[in-house]
Amino acid sequence: MKSEACELILKAIRERRSIRRYTDEVPPRELILKILDTAIWAPSGLNNQPWRFVIVWSEEVKEKLSKLTKYSGIVKSAKVLIVVLLDRAKMYHQIKDHQSAGALIQNILLSASACGLGSCWLGEILNREDEVKETLGLDPKAYELCAVITLGNPDDSSK
Ligand SMILES: Cc1cc2nc3c(=O)[nH]c(=O)nc-3n(C[C@H](O)[C@H](O)[C@H](O)COP(=O)(O)O)c2cc1C
């Protein structure tokens, strides 16, 4: 017989969906930090934990980033962005480090969904990787961009 925790985890995985429109309500900072604190339990090759994040709350920065993707509407609607990067100094294998980042990103999406937040994994913005890093004031040689995750309270009227 399956445990209650098992059923809850399987349900959380099945119920996560990409959410692309959000309400004006800003998620609490503690909740975003709790989600990240959980996500970093993701596996990584050699346990090198090569991921780094930038959490974007600023409307001004969000606006600038929205101009770097054709999914600008999702970025503008989101109340928080988590930019996921790899620290080149911590990397040991291109494919495996990106797989680790993928595991971490999935953890963020699942944790967000389980906590009632909507999220969407944006990959298309990688086409403008250097401009994203420049916008965030990051050394382009030091980091590889993996994804931008949009977050917010789901706007149910968008369904
Ligand atoms: C690597 C990757 C890149 C993605 N890039 C985008 C993106 O740029 N824009 C977007 O709207 N969704 C993006 N998605 C979300 C997918 O479109 C979505 O996960 C897929 O359609 C399945 O829908 P679901 O997440 O609701 O199950 C991306 C997902 C992954 C895994």
Side-chain angles (χ1 to χ4, degrees):
M1 183 158 134
K2 294 188 186 84
S3 71
E4 199 179 328
C6 166
E7 288 299 340
L8 284 173
I9 289 168
L10 298 185
K11 186 168 179 282
I13 291 170
R14 278 195 304 267
E15 291 189 350
R16 183 213 55 81
R17 289 277 80 75
S18 293
I19 303 294
R20 297 180 170 88
R21 277 184 59 186
Y22 311 95
T23 68
D24 289 338
E25 197 185 338
V26 179
R29 276 169 196 261
E30 307 73 53
L31 181 56
I32 298 299
L33 295 178
K34 192 172 175 180
I35 286 167
L36 276 178
D37 209 39
T38 304
I40 58 173
W41 287 87
S44 59
L46 299 178
N47 196 19
N48 69 340
Q49 304 176 35
W51 43 69
R52 297 291 178 268
F53 320 101
V54 178
I55 308 176
V56 178
W57 298 91
S58 153
E59 284 298 323
E60 192 188 332
V61 177
K62 226 155 43 67
E63 178 72 26
K64 284 184 187 165
L65 291 175
S66 74
K67 297 198 167 91
L68 302 177
T69 169
K70 68 179 180 188
Y71 297 106
S72 59
I74 308 175
V75 175
K76 280 191 209 160
S77 175
K79 294 295 153 288
V80 191
L81 306 175
I82 299 177
V83 182
V84 180
L85 304 127
L86 286 172
D87 181 348
R88 286 204 172 111
K90 294 280 173 193
M91 292 173 73
Y92 80 107
H93 188 284
Q94 185 70 12
I95 294 174
K96 292 182 212 179
D97 288 318
H98 278 276
Q99 288 170 336
S100 302
L104 169 100
I105 293 167
Q106 176 74 336
N107 274 359
I108 294 176
L109 306 183
L110 287 174
S111 304
S113 173
C115 294
L117 291 183
S119 66
C120 188
W121 176 336
L122 296 186
E124 188 270 345
I125 199 167
L126 264 58
N127 293 329
R128 309 280 295 271
E129 172 167 8
D130 283 348
E131 290 154 277
V132 170
K133 288 186 275 193
E134 194 186 330
T135 303
L136 299 173
L138 298 171
D139 175 358
K141 291 191 210 73
Y143 300 99
E144 273 181 36
L145 180 62
C146 300
V148 172
I149 302 170
T150 57
L151 290 152
N153 288 286
D155 180 356
D156 291 332
S157 66
S158 70
K159 278 183 185 163

